[in-house]
């Protein structure tokens, strides 16, 4: 397991394995671990990036899985990307607001307006088609974060230093038209080398 560049923390999303597969298609190996195994793994590994997967949990539910204790959510050691529940968890644990703005789960295609000046959205259309699957959404950004995509709520967020990011939609699925490009931008930001063929 040495020199794995990307750790994917699996919160039980139906798409977690798709994240791993998409990264391999982009030439990067990853390891997928449940949150309770992450602290042990991080003791002897130094990833360049950590991705927090989606989940059917709500951050407000009793027993909802939280962030691993040793995870560097300041992004000093590695880049952190929260996808769907992963983004909600990053916001919630850092004092942001997460709520259910809709009467029902948001599931299916959506249009997102992007801030194409941000490195993770480089060369992405100003208005892009994405795939959503969530009940909760980030309603208030944590301190030091700004929104980099909207639909009509906050669809993506970044910390001031661009080291901690969140995406509310699923870039790993084919229904997100430019999702692979977004993940490639993330790998570039993390200086990941191609290590898979």
């Amino acid at each position: 397991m040495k020199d794995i560049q990307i750790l994917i923390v699996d919160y039980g999303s139906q798409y977690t394995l798709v994240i791993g597969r998409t990264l391999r298609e982009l030439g990067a190996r990853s390891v997928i671990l449940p949150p309770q195994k992450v602290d042990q793994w991080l003791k002897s590994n130094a990833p360049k990036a950590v991705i927090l997967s989606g989940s059917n949990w709500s951050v407000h539910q009793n027993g909802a899985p939280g962030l691993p204790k040793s995870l560097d959510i300041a992004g000093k050691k590695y880049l952190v990307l929260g996808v769907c529940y992963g983004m909600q968890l990053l916001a919630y644990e850092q004092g942001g607001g997460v709520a259910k703005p809709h009467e029902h789960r948001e599931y299916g295609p959506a249009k997102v307006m992007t801030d194409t000046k941000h490195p993770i959205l480089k060369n992405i259309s100003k208005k892009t088609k994405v795939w959503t699957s969530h009940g909760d959404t980030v309603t208030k950004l944590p301190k030091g974060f700004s929104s980099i995509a909207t639909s009509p709520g906050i669809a993506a967020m970044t910390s001031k230093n661009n080291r901690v990011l969140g995406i509310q939609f699923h870039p790993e699925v084919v229904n997100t038209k430019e999702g692979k490009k977004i993940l490639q931008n993330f790998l570039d930001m993390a200086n990941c080398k191609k290590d898979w063929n």
Side-chain angles (χ1 to χ4, degrees), residues 101-167:
H102 311 287
E103 292 303 303
H104 56 276
R105 284 181 66 81
E106 198 176 2
Y107 184 83
K111 284 206 171 79
V112 165
M113 299 299 291
T114 62
D115 172 2
T116 54
K117 291 189 294 292
H118 192 278
I120 201 167
L121 298 170
K122 194 175 86 178
N123 301 323
I124 303 297
S125 312
K126 197 90 184 119
K127 191 182 212 174
T128 188
K129 283 186 182 153
V130 303
W131 187 260
T132 62
S133 172
H134 58 99
D136 292 351
T137 192
V138 174
T139 50
K140 177 175 162 266
L141 291 164
K143 200 170 175 223
F145 279 74
S146 55
S147 168
I148 50 172
T150 54
S151 163
I154 302 159
M157 66 180 194
T158 182
S159 61
K160 270 199 184 89
N161 60 3
N162 293 336
R163 300 282 299 167
V164 184
L165 306 141
I167 294 178

Side-chain angles (χ1 to χ4, degrees), residues 9-16 19 35 52-61 63-66 82-89 100 105-107 132-137 167-170 172:
V9 184
D10 180 13
Y11 286 104
S13 163
Q14 56 183 341
Y15 301 130
T16 304
I19 300 174
L52 309 174
S53 86
S55 179
N56 285 330
W57 286 94
S58 160
V59 293
H60 299 294
Q61 275 174 290
V83 174
C84 198
Y85 176 81
M87 167 167 161
Q88 296 157 18
L89 196 54
K100 268 188 182 36
R105 284 181 66 81
E106 198 176 2
Y107 184 83
T132 62
S133 172
H134 58 99
D136 292 351
T137 192
I167 294 178
Q168 185 56 73
F169 52 89
H170 288 274
E172 68 275 20

